[in-house]
Amino acid sequence: MKHSTVVGGSTAKRVMNCPGSVALVQLAPPSPSSIYADKGTLLHAVISDVLAEDRAPEDMLGLQYEGQTLDQDMIDDKINPALDLLDQLDPHQEMKLTVETRVGFGKFLPGAFGSCDVLGRLGDTAYVIDWKFGEGIAVAAEENEQLMYYAAAAMRTPEVAWVFDGATSIECIIIQPPVIRRWTTTPKRIGQFARALKKAVKVASLPDAKLNPGDHCRFCPAKPTCPAMTGAVDRALKVKLDAIDDEMLGKYAANAVLLQGWIDDLNALVQTKIEKGYKIPGWKMVAKKGRRQWVDEVVAAKTLLGLGINPQKPLEIISPAQAEKKIKNLPEGLTVSVSSGDTLAPESDPRPAVLQIGQQLTAALSKLI
Ligand code: SF4
């Protein structure tokens, strides 16, 4: 996919916050792709085909992109939940939709364009929707520069003018399975954003455009060479080792041991209180990543033998993942995903909070006694 070198949806936040980054990024080598980005691209392509071509996700099993292959887990964990969340917005299937639409600013901001995942119209509301299939970072919808960019560009794109024509409100939506985040704004706010973006692009073209580090640095390709970044590293390295007082260092190391113990105990206390049903603001328990295992090893071994696969390692049955290397689609019902336990996570973590069944059962039983 071609990206705008002026400003695109995913770079709007950086350009607006760090105008000096534009010139620096043009000199930086392109960032290498990652398996997460490649998986995201594959999932975007699949969900786009489901919506635009009315295809079943299962029809695309085995589809590949840069070494990533669409499997049933991806459909179950990402595609189907994302489609269910989209249905929440439009339970009667009345929304008029367009997917993977190229939107641009035309003469208002030449060279600025992007591709919007979903644009929709229902009643007086225009919808701007972005799929996020990554798990690590929870993406907020409120004042999200990427969504506002797509809204502002789409408003200036004749092919999708119908989405905004007469709309009194605009819903900016992030669908990041299993979570949907929504923010309602107005055409007026999107107009303000477009003007601020245009101003930022102009400032960025000046020879003395300033560098301004912040959380927008996260995906900046110029990070390894950025003076604002390397300066901070250099300053830290300039602290001479021999100038550090050894006695003081020993005391600090002892304090660090104490501090580590305090952190561990604090985490344990928070976890214990949540498990007992207390509400700790900003924290919850989530299930650790599940590991698939056979529902019944004997049944699995027989099934694999029937499929021509030797199911045995020297001393044990092979794992579901190893079986999948030999046969693409395992028969349904053979495996089950089992989490190795629960772990503490900030409220912003996209995984759902674990139900504290033990605690709730005790409370329920106490009412019966
Ligand atoms: S790393 Fe941060 S400060 Fe440096 S150019 Fe990129 S966005 Fe600006």
Side-chain angles (χ1 to χ4, degrees):
M1 191 195 308
K2 206 164 171 258
H3 296 284
S4 168
T5 52
V6 177
V7 62
S10 59
T11 56
K13 181 175 180 178
R14 170 173 58 75
V15 172
M16 295 176 87
N17 285 284
C18 177
S21 68
V22 174
L24 218 52
V25 166
Q26 278 165 9
L27 300 174
S31 301
S33 191
S34 67
I35 53 169
Y36 306 106
D38 293 339
K39 190 172 163 187
T41 305
L42 175 67
L43 291 168
H44 272 82
V46 170
I47 203 160
S48 158
D49 268 12
V50 170
L51 291 174
E53 314 286 335
D54 200 19
R55 292 180 70 186
E58 282 74 13
D59 290 349
M60 288 175 264
L61 276 169
L63 188 72
Q64 295 202 331
Y65 178 78
E66 297 290 337
Q68 297 300 309
T69 306
L70 183 71
D71 60 20
Q72 194 60 49
D73 282 352
M74 288 187 197
I75 293 176
D76 293 343
D77 297 346
K78 301 291 181 184
I79 300 291
N80 287 340
L83 292 169
D84 289 345
L85 291 166
L86 184 64
D87 280 348
Q88 276 183 21
L89 297 172
D90 180 25
H92 304 297
Q93 310 279 301
E94 290 167 344
M95 190 189 292
K96 189 175 170 194
L97 290 179
T98 175
V99 300
E100 285 294 339
T101 312
R102 182 178 156 126
V103 293
F105 286 85
K107 286 184 188 154
F108 180 79
L109 199 45
F113 63 87
S115 175
C116 182
D117 289 342
V118 182
L119 290 166
R121 176 65 183 262
L122 189 59
D124 289 341
T125 304
Y127 290 82
V128 182
I129 303 170
D130 198 50
W131 311 114
K132 296 284 180 207
F133 291 115
E135 285 163 16
I137 307 163
V139 182
E142 188 168 351
E143 291 286 330
N144 179 303
E145 288 86 350
Q146 186 170 13
L147 291 169
M148 287 195 281
Y149 178 100
Y150 292 140
M155 286 166 97
R156 290 174 168 79
T157 304
E159 293 80 5
V160 285
W162 56 268
V163 175
F164 299 91
D165 191 21
T168 51
S169 66
I170 298 172
E171 269 226 50
C172 293
I173 296 170
I174 295 286
I175 294 184
Q176 185 173 20
V179 176
I180 182 167
R181 299 183 189 89
R182 305 169 64 164
W183 175 56
T184 305
T185 187
T186 59
K188 188 176 170 199
R189 171 71 190 102
I190 298 301
Q192 286 168 347
F193 172 85
R195 289 191 293 281
L197 182 72
K198 183 173 175 148
K199 206 165 152 190
V201 169
K202 196 170 171 194
V203 172
S205 69
L206 300 174
D208 59 349
K210 297 257 183 311
L211 295 172
N212 176 34
D215 66 349
H216 46 272
C217 297
R218 189 177 191 113
F219 298 111
C220 176
K223 205 162 37 189
T225 53
C226 169
M229 286 281 159
T230 54
V233 175
D234 287 348
R235 281 193 295 282
L237 290 177
K238 268 186 196 134
V239 178
K240 295 264 177 20
L241 281 178
D242 58 6
I244 298 173
D245 183 322
D246 290 346
E247 200 161 323
M248 183 189 73
L249 200 58
K251 285 182 187 155
Y252 280 359
N255 283 343
V257 172
L258 279 179
L259 192 59
Q260 188 59 56
W262 181 82
I263 291 168
D264 293 344
D265 288 353
L266 180 74
N267 281 336
L269 180 61
V270 171
Q271 181 163 341
T272 305
K273 289 202 83 168
I274 293 177
E275 283 169 347
K276 296 252 180 267
Y278 290 83
K279 292 259 174 280
I280 306 293
W283 294 90
K284 63 183 178 182
M285 297 300 295
V286 297
K288 289 180 185 168
K289 194 166 166 45
R291 204 171 144 264
R292 272 188 315 154
Q293 57 189 47
W294 301 115
V295 174
D296 182 321
E297 289 198 351
V298 176
V299 174
K302 279 187 188 158
T303 308
L304 291 176
L305 266 179
L307 292 166
I309 299 169
N310 178 2
Q312 299 290 335
K313 286 201 266 191
L315 291 173
E316 58 186 336
I317 187 167
I318 58 176
S319 70
Q322 287 166 326
E324 263 177 352
K325 284 193 183 136
K326 297 169 191 277
I327 179 173
K328 204 180 287 168
N329 300 319
L330 285 174
E332 269 187 29
L334 270 191
T335 65
V336 62
S337 182
V338 179
S339 169
S340 55
D342 299 339
T343 186
L344 196 61
E347 204 62 67
S348 57
D349 189 293
R351 288 170 289 179
V354 168
L355 213 54
Q356 300 302 322
I357 290 175
Q359 214 280 329
Q360 291 178 359
L361 202 60
T362 310
L365 286 173
S366 71
K367 287 184 187 152
L368 293 175
I369 298 167

